[in-house]
Each structure stands twice: as structure tokens, then as C-alpha cells.
Amino acid sequence: MGAPSVLFVHAHPDDESLWTGGTIARVVEAGSVTSVLTCTWASGTPRHTELASALRILGVEGPIALGYADGGFPESAPQSAALCECRFDDAVRQIVEQIRMLRPDIVVTYDAYGIYGHPDHIQTHRLALAAVEAAACGPLYPDAGPAWQTRSVYLSTVPTRVMHRIRHQVNTGPPPDGAVAPGTPDAAIDLELDVSAWVEQKWSAIGAHRSEMDRSPALAELAELDLTRRNALLGTEWYLRRDLVDGGVDLV
């Protein structure tokens, strides 16, 4: 078998680069047919344009956009519902159509907490997993194409120890009172992926999201880190692995 085909499912433009940019660049270089689906920001909006630029840097053809509104930015899709307020079944169906058309061996999305608790990330996790299951069930959405069984799902996450380091080096602010600090225990991590060889490509893709770089204090602080510390933060990506068929398939 050649390199597996991979579909990345993300909530917002820049998430694909920040959390999985090294993985995308690495699997593209390995020969994987690679696609990126983004749930928010409609085609033609500034951040959608930036997303297309970032994906070109990572080696992926144009973005697939569901076109829902980012929960914090109604201008992201003025004619559409916010992602967390959409009809769940409608959004699942849209992702099912893409899965059945693209036929990925692997789907990559966020862990159940959306890495750090963003509501759009959590919603995207739920939609992606529901769509993976539905895409394999022929009687569901029969006009969305022939059923397709994805072999493995990888959930992007960050170890607790690394999340503490990120919060120390980049001012993301403390968790709300009473909230559990985000992060996955080291023992639960299934894949620690070295993407240091692709870190410059990843950082260039992050930088293509100019409006987010200008808006986000955390990204501004990341940009101000010295090269050694920034590369140390960006040079590894972590995943939980869920095999849906016997043996599953390795991401790399």
C-alpha cells in the first residue's frame, strides 16, 4: 500500500497550520493525497483567502469550506448560522459528502476538548466523528455517494506538560476559575510526531494568516520568541489514535 490519503477537519482558518501544519507538510511530502476541510469563514472572506495561501505553502490544493460563521465573528459568514448553532445533521451530511467523495484512509481532527476548550473546536470534533461513522453507513444519506469506511482517526492534542510550557512562554491566560487545565496526560498520547524538518514551512503557513497574526496576542508573542524556543514549541505534534478497522493505518 502506498501513502494513505488524509483528510484534515478543522474549525477555523489558521488551526490547520498551528496544530497540524507540520503533519500536513510531512504527509504531503510522503506522497499522501491530502485535503483540508474548514468549517467556518465563507469563501471570499479575508481569512478564507489567507487559508488558501497557507495551504499552498503546505502543499495542499484549495480549501474545502463548509461556510459556517465563526462563533466570535458573524462577518465570517453573514448569510450562515454560527457553527455551534447550526443544524447538526446538516453539517454532518456536508462532511459525509466530502468523505465519500475524497475516500480518505485517515481523518484528522481535534481531541474531545478541542485541544484547549474552544466551542468551535469541540463542535468540529463532534461533527467529524459523527460524519466518519455516518459515511460508512450506506443507508444514511444514500444520495451523498457510496459508503466509505475511514480506517483510522487521529485526534490532534497537546500533552499536559507541553500545555504548561506553552502557557508559560506564550501568554494565553489562565483557565477560567474552576476549569480543568487543558492537555492530555503523557501516557495517553498515541503518536508524538517529529515535524522539526518542516517547521519553517509550518511557520510560513501560520504567518500567511495575517489577520490572525495581527489580532491574536498569543500569536504575536509566539512571533517574538527567539527561533530556538519557537521551533521547540512548533517542532512536534501529538495525536490520539482511534482505529476503525483491524490494524488501522499509520499516519506516517
Side-chain angles (χ1 to χ4, degrees), residues 1-4 6 23-34 198 251-252:
M1 178 180 174
V6 188
T23 303
I24 293 173
R26 181 168 171 170
V27 300
V28 167
E29 187 172 304
S32 290
V33 175
T34 306
W198 297 269
L251 181 58
V252 294

Side-chain angles (χ1 to χ4, degrees), residues 76-99:
S76 60
Q79 306 304 317
S80 299
L83 182 62
C84 287
E85 298 171 1
C86 71
R87 282 176 50 88
F88 192 84
D89 190 64
D90 289 347
V92 168
R93 180 194 177 91
Q94 288 177 274
I95 301 175
V96 166
E97 289 175 346
Q98 294 298 326
I99 291 173

Side-chain angles (χ1 to χ4, degrees), residues 37-94:
L37 183 154
T38 305
C39 292
T40 67
W41 290 81
S43 179
T45 57
R47 287 190 64 184
H48 182 270
T49 302
E50 293 169 351
L51 172 61
S53 297
L55 291 183
R56 282 195 295 271
I57 292 168
L58 296 174
V60 177
E61 292 298 323
I64 302 164
L66 295 193
Y68 290 102
D70 182 330
F73 301 90
E75 69 275 14
S76 60
Q79 306 304 317
S80 299
L83 182 62
C84 287
E85 298 171 1
C86 71
R87 282 176 50 88
F88 192 84
D89 190 64
D90 289 347
V92 168
R93 180 194 177 91
Q94 288 177 274

Side-chain angles (χ1 to χ4, degrees), residues 56-183:
R56 282 195 295 271
I57 292 168
L58 296 174
V60 177
E61 292 298 323
I64 302 164
L66 295 193
Y68 290 102
D70 182 330
F73 301 90
E75 69 275 14
S76 60
Q79 306 304 317
S80 299
L83 182 62
C84 287
E85 298 171 1
C86 71
R87 282 176 50 88
F88 192 84
D89 190 64
D90 289 347
V92 168
R93 180 194 177 91
Q94 288 177 274
I95 301 175
V96 166
E97 289 175 346
Q98 294 298 326
I99 291 173
R100 290 181 177 175
M101 180 177 65
L102 297 168
R103 300 164 69 88
D105 298 304
I106 294 170
V107 169
V108 179
T109 190
Y110 312 100
D111 65 21
Y113 193 59
I115 300 178
Y116 62 95
H118 193 297
D120 285 350
H121 289 199
I122 294 171
Q123 177 81 331
T124 297
H125 164 89
R126 294 169 177 167
L127 290 167
L129 266 59
V132 165
E133 293 286 347
C137 181
L140 277 172
Y141 315 115
D143 57 349
W148 175 255
Q149 177 65 71
T150 296
R151 299 173 65 193
S152 293
V153 172
Y154 285 78
L155 306 176
S156 178
T157 193
V158 176
T160 306
R161 61 180 169 80
V162 176
M163 192 62 80
H164 288 322
R165 192 167 85 231
I166 291 172
R167 288 185 175 278
H168 175 72
Q169 295 189 26
V170 179
N171 183 21
T172 58
D177 290 344
V180 176

Side-chain angles (χ1 to χ4, degrees), residues 196-212:
S196 56
W198 297 269
V199 73
E200 290 185 12
Q201 196 174 350
K202 175 179 177 176
W203 180 242
S204 294
I206 293 170
H209 293 280
R210 192 69 258 165
S211 59
E212 191 66 4

